[in-house]
Amino acid sequence: MAKERVLITGGAGFLGNVLTRRFLGEGHKVTCLDNLMYRQDQSIMPLAANPDFEFVFGDVRDRALMEEQVPRHDIVFHMAAIVGAPASEQRPFDTKSINQDSVAILESVRGKGQKVVFPNTNSGYGTKSGQFHCDETTPLEPISLYGVTKCAGEDILLQSGKGAVVYRLASVFGISPRMRLDLSFHDMVLQALSTGAIVMSEGSFTRNYVHIQDVASGFQHAIQNYDSMVGEAFNLGSDGANITRKDLAMKVSQRIPGTVVYENEGKADLDKRNYLVSNEKLRRVGFEANRTIDQGIEEVRRGLAIMLKNNPYRNV
Ligand SMILES: NC(=O)c1ccc[n+]([C@@H]2O[C@H](COP(=O)([O-])OP(=O)(O)OC[C@H]3O[C@@H](n4cnc5c(N)ncnc54)[C@H](O)[C@@H]3O)[C@@H](O)[C@H]2O)c1
């Protein structure tokens, strides 16, 4: 791959951290633009030792900043967002302005030759029609503010005529220097490790999952195959990881012996995700996510076990 200048908005996030390292590792120059809203400076600070890494502190809603930063890059991954339905319900103004309006700013300041890859969510499939088997022709009908604003971002990019590759991501799992414990996969492993029990609702709901390193590989694939993928949306998940929440909890309990799984009525998913997603379209352009759920549980178990050893409040 030719060495290029990559701008990653939200580069200090869960996915952004892994993408930043992947593209630096490939020899590219990477700029991370982030407002560090979760005080995650320590996750990216070690990268300052790499002369190909640059950090820009700022907000993707700042048009002047975007005018300055976007044009000097060959590639833009627009990851910055308020992520997940619960976080979005708590911050409706930020959700609309970051997840949707900043995409319009990006679109207005970028040139036609710049490659853009945008991560939408597959959250909207099947929710109103009740369709269980979903592919890219299935209407996206999100019900949460998060899903609505991310899908609006996809529309802005695909309809502008400048071209972009959109990924409709499955629920992501795996270790990142900036972990997200609010992701249900990670939450189940954490519950099992810290309490010996997993309490979950909507056990019969099927979701599609994908490993964070497979997402990074998918972004590399989009850049390497940009001309054949531009202007299209692709599901990015693992076909082997369409699984019910109950079966996922049972897999976690097998990996962490002694864990008891309880189902209750509480804490419903705001996007009511219950569908089986096909990743065939992406396979047809040459990419397949292949890390397994079991690999992910093992990796996350080992990572979170380290985290749980951390107790800064005792000297003895
Ligand atoms: N993690 C998943 O399972 C998943 C699934 C589907 C889609 N996505 C999409 O992937 C992207 C990254 O998600 P993530 O899981 O890494 O979330 P994250 O919350 O860890 O990362 C978001 C990053 O954006 C930054 N940010 C937020 N508002 C900003 C602003 N106004 N200006 C600059 N930076 C800002 C945050 O500080 C954070 O570093 C999002 O666009 C999300 O919608 C994620």
Side-chain angles (χ1 to χ4, degrees):
M1 208 200 282
K3 306 304 176 203
E4 295 183 283
R5 294 162 302 170
V6 186
L7 175 65
I8 306 182
T9 73
F14 169 65
L15 275 164
N17 254 284
V18 169
L19 281 174
T20 298
R21 284 167 172 78
R22 179 69 72 89
F23 279 77
L24 282 173
E26 290 286 309
H28 300 291
K29 289 186 174 297
V30 178
T31 306
C32 162
L33 191 168
D34 203 295
N35 65 356
L36 299 177
M37 65 181 289
Y38 303 112
R39 298 185 295 279
Q40 67 276 43
D41 54 305
Q42 293 204 354
S43 67
I44 47 158
M45 198 162 53
L47 299 175
N50 186 333
D52 285 336
F53 176 73
E54 184 182 345
F55 180 74
V56 175
F57 178 72
D59 195 306
V60 289
R61 294 167 289 185
D62 178 344
R63 175 177 282 275
L65 180 68
M66 294 288 272
E67 265 168 2
E68 179 188 305
Q69 292 300 325
V70 172
R72 67 184 192 89
H73 293 85
D74 306 301
I75 296 168
V76 181
F77 299 146
H78 192 47
M79 313 304 287
I82 301 297
V83 185
S88 293
E89 296 299 310
Q90 284 177 15
R91 296 170 178 256
F93 173 80
D94 286 337
T95 298
K96 160 84 168 46
S97 57
I98 300 170
N99 297 11
Q100 182 174 335
D101 299 345
S102 79
V103 181
I105 294 174
L106 166 67
E107 218 32 38
S108 67
V109 304
R110 79 169 171 123
K112 216 174 175 184
Q114 290 179 291
K115 296 173 181 167
V116 171
V117 183
F118 178 73
N120 193 3
T121 163
N122 69 16
S123 289
Y125 282 142
T127 44
K128 289 185 188 153
S129 65
Q131 194 172 330
F132 187 61
H133 290 88
C134 299
D135 63 21
E136 291 81 351
T137 63
T138 308
L140 277 171
E141 301 171 313
I143 47 181
S144 76
L145 182 63
Y146 172 62
V148 167
T149 54
K150 291 297 294 185
C151 289
E154 168 179 321
D155 282 346
I156 291 168
L157 288 167
L158 293 184
Q159 285 168 20
S160 82
K162 287 185 182 168
V165 174
V166 172
Y167 277 134
R168 294 175 181 167
L169 297 184
S171 297
V172 184
F173 61 87
I175 292 290
S176 163
R178 132 83 178 154
M179 274 307 274
R180 279 190 53 203
L181 299 179
D182 57 310
L183 291 169
S184 63
F185 189 112
H186 299 166
D187 178 57
M188 282 188 194
V189 177
L190 183 62
Q191 285 191 56
L193 284 174
S194 54
T195 69
I198 298 172
V199 183
M200 45 114 211
S201 57
E202 299 173 334
S204 63
F205 279 25
T206 297
R207 274 198 215 168
N208 193 212
Y209 293 87
V210 66
H211 192 282
I212 193 164
Q213 294 293 343
D214 280 332
V215 175
S217 301
F219 274 67
Q220 278 183 292
H221 188 84
I223 295 306
Q224 288 161 356
N225 298 276
Y226 196 77
D227 290 346
S228 57
M229 293 176 69
V230 69
E232 297 279 331
F234 298 84
N235 296 329
L236 173 44
S238 168
D239 277 346
N242 276 302
I243 184 172
T244 65
R245 282 169 55 74
K246 175 89 179 277
D247 286 347
L248 177 60
M250 296 311 289
K251 273 181 179 284
V252 174
S253 74
Q254 283 156 14
R255 293 257 159 200
I256 304 174
T259 303
V260 185
V261 176
Y262 297 104
E263 276 194 81
N264 73 2
E265 297 295 316
K267 232 180 158 193
D269 173 12
L270 291 169
D271 262 322
K272 307 248 166 287
R273 288 167 286 184
N274 180 24
Y275 34 72
L276 197 145
V277 179
S278 164
N279 300 290
E280 174 60 27
K281 182 176 175 186
L282 185 53
R283 204 162 30 249
R284 285 202 303 271
V285 292
F287 182 78
E288 185 164 9
N290 51 26
R291 286 174 179 80
T292 66
I293 292 233
D294 285 315
Q295 281 174 303
I297 294 171
E298 189 53 21
E299 168 183 318
V300 172
R301 181 190 72 74
R302 285 188 281 132
L304 296 189
I306 296 170
M307 187 194 81
L308 287 170
K309 293 283 180 223
N310 179 19
N311 181 348
Y313 303 108
R314 295 181 69 114
N315 279 9
V316 290

